Amino acid sequence: MGEQTVVRAGAELHRFRLDDYWPPSGGGMWPGTFWNIRDGQRDRYALYAEVQWSPAPLWSAQAG
């Protein structure tokens, strides 16, 4: 690896939580709350690595 080479590595964590609901309309014609998504969850874990280098003065390359 030369001086023009850059190596990057890292980790990501995304956590999503969602409750989507709305009260009934129409003055009590419907008996309860409308639930579109109840206790919705999504967890995403990721690891990544990439390398960037210049094989020639006017060229660059990246892999990851």
Side-chain angles (χ1 to χ4, degrees), residues 1-7 51:
M1 297 183 126
E3 293 180 12
Q4 299 294 325
T5 302
V6 178
V7 177
V51 69

Side-chain angles (χ1 to χ4, degrees), residues 14-53:
H14 293 277
R15 298 188 73 182
F16 299 98
R17 303 293 183 258
L18 178 64
D19 283 327
D20 185 25
Y21 61 91
W22 60 92
S25 61
M29 289 179 17
W30 299 98
T33 302
F34 294 106
W35 283 92
N36 189 28
I37 298 173
R38 189 173 206 160
D39 296 327
Q41 298 181 5
R42 180 176 188 254
D43 297 333
R44 180 176 185 263
Y45 306 94
L47 297 173
Y48 64 91
E50 67 182 20
V51 69
Q52 181 178 357
W53 70 97

